[in-house]
């Protein structure tokens, strides 16, 4: 919770900043930590969470910001998937989170990143802030987050990173 509050305070400063809250770490190290945190929750729901390291990324990134982006994407995949596999795929220069869930209507591929916007198939009591927060973090860090429009089933969120070191 403390980290999330620090992230909100950092974003509220309103300046384009690439400051970090902690020592920068590799994409693989941050992704492995998130995988270990989330894998039991996926297993409880009988979903297969996979961490796939397709290629090595040499960059270093602020762990609090990158972990928050990964967390929000994995949380959505867990929430909107009833069966199948969720993949966290690491690549040089970024990563993607792809699932076999209910997907997002093409007409909402951009609006879904706005605050308080939830998809047509929204479930539960979410506020519609997760993807908005992920995009704000990405923008502030010089990263890019998009929803792959070519996927016909489920979602594939792609994050392109720019290393700070």
């Amino acid at each position: 919770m403390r980290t999330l509050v620090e992230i909100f305070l950092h974003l509220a400063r309103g300046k384009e900043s690439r400051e970090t809250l902690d020592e920068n770490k590799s994409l693989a190290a941050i992704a492995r930590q998130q995988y270990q945190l989330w894998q039991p929750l996926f297993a409880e729901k009988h979903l297969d969470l996979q961490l796939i390291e397709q290629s090595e990324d040499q960059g270093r990134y602020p762990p609090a910001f990158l972990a928050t982006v990964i967390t929000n994407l994995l949380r959505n995949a867990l929430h909107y998937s009833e069966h199948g596999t969720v993949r966290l795929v690491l690549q040089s220069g970024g990563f993607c989170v792809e699932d076999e869930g209910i997907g997002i209507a093409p007409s909402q591929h951009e609006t879904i990143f706005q605050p308080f916007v939830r998809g047509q198939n929204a479930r539960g009591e979410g506020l519609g802030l997760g993807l908005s927060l992920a995009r704000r973090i990405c923008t502030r860090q010089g990263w890019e987050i998009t929803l792959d429009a070519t996927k016909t089933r489920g979602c594939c969120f792609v994050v392109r990173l720019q290393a700070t070191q």
Side-chain angles (χ1 to χ4, degrees):
M1 182 60 108
R2 179 176 178 253
T3 300
L4 190 56
V5 170
E6 288 176 354
I7 288 171
F8 280 126
L9 290 172
H10 181 81
L11 292 173
R13 290 185 189 133
K15 57 184 173 182
E16 295 300 320
S17 170
R18 301 181 99 208
E19 293 175 36
T20 63
L21 302 175
D22 296 311
E23 184 178 329
N24 291 340
K25 295 182 180 175
S26 70
L27 169 61
I30 297 166
R32 285 183 200 123
Q33 180 184 38
Q34 292 303 303
Y35 173 82
Q36 289 174 353
L37 289 171
W38 285 94
Q39 197 283 328
L41 298 171
F42 279 84
E44 275 181 28
K45 199 171 172 184
H46 304 289
L47 294 168
D48 180 22
L49 176 61
Q50 299 177 353
L51 175 61
I52 301 168
E53 298 182 41
Q54 281 187 343
S55 58
E56 189 174 345
D57 180 85
Q58 298 295 322
R60 307 290 287 178
Y61 307 98
F65 294 129
L66 187 51
T68 299
V69 172
I70 293 172
T71 288
N72 284 332
L73 296 177
L74 290 177
R75 181 182 296 119
N76 280 357
L78 177 66
H79 193 66
Y80 290 102
S81 297
E82 294 301 326
H83 55 81
T85 302
V86 174
R87 293 170 196 81
L88 173 54
V89 182
L90 310 184
Q91 305 158 336
S92 180
F95 68 93
C96 66
V97 173
E98 51 187 40
D99 66 49
E100 298 170 2
I102 58 177
I104 297 172
S107 63
Q108 292 188 301
H109 280 198
E110 275 306 310
T111 58
I112 201 71
F113 290 104
Q114 295 174 4
F116 305 108
V117 171
R118 299 183 71 205
Q120 291 173 296
N121 300 315
R123 297 178 177 177
E125 298 179 12
L127 297 174
L129 292 174
L131 291 175
S132 171
L133 176 60
R135 177 158 280 175
R136 283 190 70 191
I137 290 170
C138 288
T139 299
R140 291 292 168 93
Q141 294 299 310
W143 306 338
E144 179 184 27
I145 183 171
T146 56
L147 178 55
D148 183 350
T150 63
K151 189 147 171 70
T152 57
R153 182 173 175 211
C155 288
C156 180
F157 286 92
V158 179
V159 178
R160 306 294 333 136
L161 301 170
Q162 185 174 4
T164 55
Q165 284 182 290

